[in-house]
Amino acid sequence: MTEGVEWALHSCLNLTWSEPGQAVSAARLAAFYQLPTAYLNKQLQALVRAGILSSTSGPRGGFRLARAPEAITMLDVVVAIEGAEEAFRCEQILRQGPGGRGDVDYRQVCLVSQAMRRADLAWRRELAGQTLADLRAAVEQRYPDTPGNTRDRLTAPLT
């Protein structure tokens, strides 16, 4: 998984604390964690294409959540950045091994492939079961100053 997933998740989480209706620029979101603006912008654009964020052009433009935090799962963000493919791709190497056969679909019968698919499914279920709202609530419980501090940083002049 690329660092873009981490950047996208943190940016989306930060946007949950932005003022209602406020668009936040890619430069401001990047400055929050000292990230390269151009690369973060690519991640943000992927989130726009996935319907997670909306964007507005112009001097007061930027990004905001396109849906309520309760309607955005962590899996939504991961898939927007990484794509929907499974993490493990069975290349059917058993076909070339001793006793391998060309007429067998080893993706279906290989125990390694089956174990990896089960793990991938469990990972996706876990991410699909946690929304930005859940994550926001957990952060607010553990770090109650975060919402206000984040809003302040998102509205402070860029230096």
Side-chain angles (χ1 to χ4, degrees):
M1 197 174 311
T2 64
E3 61 196 0
V5 171
E6 179 183 13
W7 297 4
L9 285 165
H10 279 285
S11 294
C12 286
L13 183 60
N14 286 345
L15 287 171
T16 69
W17 292 305
S18 64
E19 295 295 335
Q22 175 191 10
V24 181
S25 71
R28 184 169 299 283
L29 288 166
F32 201 95
Y33 297 111
Q34 300 176 350
L35 303 173
T37 302
Y39 186 62
L40 178 61
N41 191 56
K42 288 172 64 174
Q43 311 314 311
L44 298 172
Q45 292 300 328
L47 295 171
V48 169
R49 287 189 297 278
I52 295 167
L53 299 182
S54 62
S55 64
T56 309
S57 327
R60 296 177 53 98
F63 298 89
R64 63 175 62 98
L65 294 177
R67 305 189 305 245
E70 296 80 8
I72 301 170
T73 69
M74 292 181 70
L75 183 61
D76 293 334
V77 175
V78 170
V79 169
I81 302 300
E82 293 289 318
E85 288 186 22
E86 294 177 342
F88 178 80
R89 288 179 227 37
C90 178
E91 299 295 332
Q92 302 191 67
I93 66 170
L94 289 178
R95 202 173 264 161
Q96 281 75 32
R101 294 181 25 199
D103 63 334
V104 174
D105 183 353
Y106 288 101
R107 292 172 299 206
Q108 301 302 316
V109 299
C110 173
L111 297 179
V112 169
S113 181
Q114 290 172 12
M116 294 303 285
R117 275 188 288 159
R118 282 192 309 273
D120 188 72
L121 184 59
W123 174 77
R124 287 174 185 275
R125 254 193 230 118
E126 181 68 25
L127 292 177
Q130 188 164 359
T131 67
L132 282 179
D134 298 329
L135 194 55
R136 179 183 62 197
V139 170
E140 289 173 357
Q141 183 177 9
R142 188 171 292 173
Y143 307 103
D145 294 337
T146 297
N149 291 341
T150 301
R151 267 190 297 280
D152 291 347
R153 287 195 67 189
L154 291 177
T155 57
L158 288 173
T159 55

